[in-house]
Amino acid sequence: MTESTSANAPATDAERRVGLIVVSHSRALALAAVTLAGEMLHGRPLTIEVAAGLDDTTFGTDAVSIMQAIERADSPAGVVVLMDLGSAVLSAELALDLLQDSSIRDRVTLSPAPLVEGLIVAAVAAAGGASREEVAAEARNAVMGKAAHLSTPEPGVAPEPEDQAQAAIVGVFPVANPHGLHARPAARLVSEVRALDASVQLRNLTTGAGPVPAASLSRVATLTALHGHEVEVRATGPQAQEAVEHVLALAKRRFDEPPEQVSAPPAPPRPTPSRSGPLAASPGIAVGPVRRLAAEPVDPALHPAGEPAQEWRRVLASVAAVRREIEHVRVLTERELGPDQASIFDAHLSLLTDTELLGDVKARIRPGTGAVAAWAGSLAEVERQWAELPDPYLRERAADVRAVGEQVLQALTGQPARRMTGEGVLVASDLTPAETAGLDLALVTGVVLAQGSPTSHAAILARARDIPVVVAAGPEVLGIPEGRTILLDGATGALHLDPAPELIEEYQSRAAEAAEQRVRQVALADHPAVSRDGTRILVAANLGSVSDARAALAAGADGAGLVRTEFLFLDRTAAPDINEQQDQYDSIAEAMEGRRITLRTLDVGGDKPLPYLPMPPEANPFLGQRGIRLSLRNRDLLRDQMAAICHTARHSPTSIMLPMVSTPDELIEARQVLVEAAGSSGLPAGLHIGTMIEVPSAALKIEALLPYVDFVSIGTNDLTQYTLAAERGNGAVAALSDALDPGVLRLIDHVCRAASGRVDVAVCGEAASDELAIPILVGLGVRELSVSPPAVARVKAAIRQLDVEHCASLAGQALTLPGATDVRKLVLATMAETQGDAESGTRTGSGVATG
Ligand code: PEP
Ligand code: MG
């Protein structure tokens, strides 16, 4: 995000000069401006840092990147920051607040100069050895030459600098939007105004409300400017004229509200409809009243205040984190639902960059009143103002304020934002991994998700917690009123609304049968899983917490085949240190009582965000910086994690596993970091090093990866999504995303053949617990299956029914079939021959049935 550019010679010369930072919404623009400035320097040394764009192509500014750029450019001579439009200024101000070392702050000047002209004259001045004050003054006057050249300004336009503070440009517009200046048009107005170098005030001439600063969304809303009201715009400053003209033109265009939204209040974004119908995602039968997730109130009294400066920094960091989250959702919404729906988030983003609101929060922080209390206080005040507005439509917008405010409170407290409204079946659009991990088992009997898929991380966590789940049920389930009775079967995907008593009875007797079968399986769970013809298959467990490890041991797991370490610290806003990580890994090893544990390094990205590892929004996060890619870009974090793993490996059988590997170079680099992390005592003797196979390229060139590993574990969840180009969390393509597709099976076959006799092959994706997949995987040569703890006994029981030679021929046939459905039919038919039961194992339910 931040790029260092030097029009320079030796760094020491540059350090004696004032450093420059270019903050722009566009990285391309910033880099071009730096190149242009470099032309003027004729080789003289100068440090110019760029903090621009959210990535190479996404517009935006980020306070953390600016802060890091300032830290890099800092020297005794100081730093001058040049910015482009509105929120760039705000981000730069936030960056100053974020600086840990306050002495740096004293050496920084934020310049109001225009970016390109300002940068060029500032660069020339700084390279010539000018002081920070001189460089800033040069930049400020950068447009004077151009203004003089273009002759006398028109009356009222671009007044001479000394007159700027006094000259006011005034205009009046009638509000043409049917719902008045509500959140969306107001957000548009605010962002236009913030982009200009002018101070703009608004007054409602019809009601006399105001004046209020036009750059503050929360204040503009209090004008209650309804349809037909006249609003006065009064601007001062260098771009006063443009500001007034802009606002009047914008008002004429009804603030660019799309026609359907001009005539109707904005609707919340609708989830993409599911094509495939409800899908089974976690076995079990549940019946109960429909429940929802609702915001959990935060009690500021439970969050003690730290030192005020520290508390303010916490506010800024949390606001920045939520902004990034919303920007990310905005990118996705725009991609999936178009720009109009995405613009809903503009009002949310405006609130988070609202200097009035942030100023109020800052003013409230004092000894005894910390970040949580101050934020909650300011939010309550803004909400109160909005809720008191006479217009009912505007009043409803207070909900937007609350939603964004609560997201920040969640970031500040680490508390899940939403909790279930009561005991019963949770019906929701989708769940984040953190929400799934936080579901209260005393309340939730089952979960129905409108979106999602069986291999989404929400489904995986629900399976680990033995919660019956049906996913991809479609948006219509969100319309079911709370309290209506719903029945779900998480093994088949069946849903019944208001089930008749006989139907409930039938399902309950099925559940009782399943429970009896389970008792029989659990009784044998501690014994090894050996096929009828004598092949031992290890059945390990996938873990996300120490309590999962205890459950896994109790369930008879032969080890932990996958510890998703990213789940251990899901709700943390700061990275855990080495000691905290060691404690967790040691506790897992201890809970597994000497069985081998496989600790996977952080696999963040895709649908697994991590608050302490912020990432710029990506258009295709599953194809972006995930897993090992992200870890190698954050080597300190990776080294710390590897050091903690080495510690555990010195006293317990431990393996380290690398996620999302696609090239041997990644393995080589990760091994270098591991060697650094192990330190002078060297790699622990019993440490095994392995790679996940989740990317088709890694499967296809497995021979190139094998020299660097002791084992491989196939992640069928990701391997399937990448092979079939079907995103694992997307309910609309969930039916496509089946690991039994022969395309996926051929990749697994290739891996098993290449690894045979060299290293062990495990499968730790969800296919490992799919009863129709198990014979095929074993037939292809997989000798370890790692599954959620509740599935261990069932999977061991399934293996005991198998004949490996027969499985090999079944797998051979499966590879030649056209699709996953054909493979499922083949396995079902074979099972029917041996067990006389062809009914179990259906994957897709029949829709939401009533009665
Ligand atoms: C997989 O991709 O199959 C896997 C086990 O990793 P995760 O589900 O955590 O992405
Ligand atoms: Mg994966």
Side-chain angles (χ1 to χ4, degrees), residues 600 603 626 694 718 728:
R600 183 174 70 182
D603 184 22
R626 279 193 72 190
E694 298 166 286
D718 279 314
R728 61 194 277 186

Side-chain angles (χ1 to χ4, degrees), residues 6 12 36-37 59 73 129 205 218 283 306 353 356 368 373 433 491 500 570 707 710 733 754 818:
S6 246
T12 43
L36 190 61
F59 292 153
L205 295 179
S218 56
T353 47
E356 291 271 319
L570 262 184
D710 305 313
V733 292

